[in-house]
Amino acid sequence: IEIDISKKAPIGDDNLPPDMIKVQESIFKVLNVTQDKIKKEMSVREAKEALMYEATESVLDAESIRAEGLRRAEQNGVIFIDEIDKVAISNKDSSRHDPSKEGVQRDLLPIVEGSVVNTKYGQIKTDYILFIAAGAFHVSKPSDLIPELQGRFPLRVELSTLDEESLYQILTQTKSSLLRQYQLLLETENIRLEFSDEAIRELARLSHNANQRTEDIGARRLHTTIEHVLEDISFNVDEYQGKEIEVNVEMVREALADLVENVDLARYIL
């Protein structure tokens, strides 16, 4: 059937400053771009969905939704600042002293302490927003941050290195497990992939050993070790199509055991 539906408004640039975004929205309203109707031919099912979407849009109060969103962000918002150690100024290496790092910290300070921030949806007060920061702090340490910023993060938690059992649980108990991802990926090539429990435990053990012998990169090591074990299958899918493959402990040891023991090679391959 052929129906009349509203022409979708052009997509603006969300990376503009808040004031420019308001100007952009005002221009769209002046041009009345959302009121134009176009004829479109589609199936009855698609037409029902399109008309339902239009009816929903017409009864929604955009201003109320925006105000409620701002209120929830202010009262229940959580902001996670990752890799905050990258802006810490280490006293160990004076040659890498970068004044801009302290500038970034001083820019973060008023936001974390509580201030009014302009966004494309309106102004947000950060007084009651929970800020959580994390960092590896290999080169620097938390005390290398400016004292004012340290004072805004009174609770500190130090995480322990992942052991074999933790890596095993990551492979078997997480919703988006790497093993499941590889199984689904190879299913697209008509290959059924299975992992024995002994093979999974050996992957965890060798990944843990690689972390101990070289740089400790945590669970990221699992990605490189599994990729190395499945390298032949991944690059020669034509030879394995229509087959069921079980990754056993012998396959894992054959691919990784010697490599993990050789620290010089493991550093560059794993």
Side-chain angles (χ1 to χ4, degrees):
I1 60 174
E2 191 176 77
I3 62 171
D4 292 333
I5 59 175
S6 299
K7 184 192 296 183
K8 290 184 179 179
I11 300 174
D13 186 358
D14 290 342
N15 294 321
L16 293 173
D19 293 338
M20 293 299 297
I21 291 177
K22 291 181 180 178
V23 173
Q24 181 177 260
E25 292 175 349
S26 299
I27 292 175
F28 291 161
K29 290 179 181 178
V30 170
L31 295 177
N32 202 25
V33 292
T34 60
Q35 300 300 319
D36 295 340
K37 294 284 186 177
I38 59 173
K39 288 186 178 294
K40 193 168 183 180
E41 187 174 319
M42 57 182 67
S43 66
V44 174
R45 181 177 180 178
E46 292 173 340
K48 285 182 178 179
E49 293 177 356
L51 293 173
M52 184 180 296
Y53 174 79
E54 282 202 350
T56 303
E57 287 292 314
S58 64
V59 299
L60 290 178
D61 187 346
E63 290 301 323
S64 298
I65 294 174
R66 178 176 299 188
E68 178 64 16
L70 291 174
R71 187 193 68 79
R72 292 191 182 189
E74 290 178 345
Q75 299 298 322
N76 305 310
V78 179
I79 293 179
F80 184 81
I81 306 174
D82 196 13
E83 297 189 354
I84 198 170
D85 58 304
K86 298 298 190 295
V87 297
I89 303 173
S90 175
N91 296 323
K92 296 179 181 178
D93 191 355
S94 58
S95 62
R96 299 181 62 182
H97 186 85
D98 187 356
S100 64
K101 292 182 178 181
E102 184 174 340
V104 174
Q105 294 182 58
R106 297 205 174 275
D107 287 340
L108 286 173
L109 185 60
I111 302 175
V112 177
E113 285 184 333
S115 60
V116 178
V117 179
N118 289 321
T119 70
K120 69 173 184 176
Y121 300 107
Q123 293 184 332
I124 292 182
K125 294 181 180 180
T126 64
D127 300 65
Y128 302 108
I129 292 178
L130 174 62
F131 285 86
I132 303 173
F137 290 102
H138 288 311
V139 178
S140 59
K141 52 186 183 294
S143 59
D144 290 328
L145 295 169
I146 60 175
E148 298 91 334
L149 190 59
Q150 291 183 53
R152 302 313 301 172
F153 294 96
L155 301 179
R156 294 185 184 177
V157 177
E158 183 177 350
L159 301 181
S160 303
T161 301
L162 293 172
D163 56 15
E164 291 182 29
E165 184 61 28
S166 299
L167 293 173
Y168 174 77
Q169 291 177 3
I170 289 172
L171 288 175
T172 57
Q173 298 182 16
T174 53
K175 184 177 180 180
S176 300
S177 168
L178 283 172
L179 302 182
R180 182 57 179 159
Q181 291 181 33
Y182 276 100
Q183 287 174 330
L184 294 175
L185 180 64
L186 291 175
E187 274 185 15
T188 62
E189 301 291 346
N190 194 24
I191 299 174
R192 185 176 178 183
L193 186 66
E194 297 293 339
F195 293 86
S196 68
D197 188 69
E198 293 80 5
I200 299 174
R201 290 197 174 276
E202 188 68 8
L203 276 169
R205 186 184 72 82
L206 292 174
S207 297
H208 178 259
N209 289 349
N211 276 342
Q212 296 296 310
R213 292 174 176 272
T214 59
E215 183 181 0
D216 189 351
I217 59 175
R220 293 184 181 91
R221 185 73 66 184
L222 294 171
H223 193 284
T224 55
T225 52
I226 295 173
E227 180 68 29
H228 200 74
V229 171
L230 300 178
E231 184 177 17
D232 179 65
I233 301 173
S234 299
F235 285 91
N236 298 285
V237 290
D238 293 342
E239 300 177 11
Y240 297 96
Q241 283 185 345
K243 297 181 180 180
E244 180 177 342
I245 302 172
E246 181 183 25
V247 178
N248 52 40
V249 66
E250 288 78 15
M251 289 178 60
V252 175
R253 288 174 180 169
E254 182 181 354
L256 295 175
D258 294 337
L259 181 58
V260 171
E261 293 296 327
N262 191 330
V263 177
D264 293 332
L265 283 178
R267 181 179 292 110
Y268 297 103
I269 297 177
L270 295 179

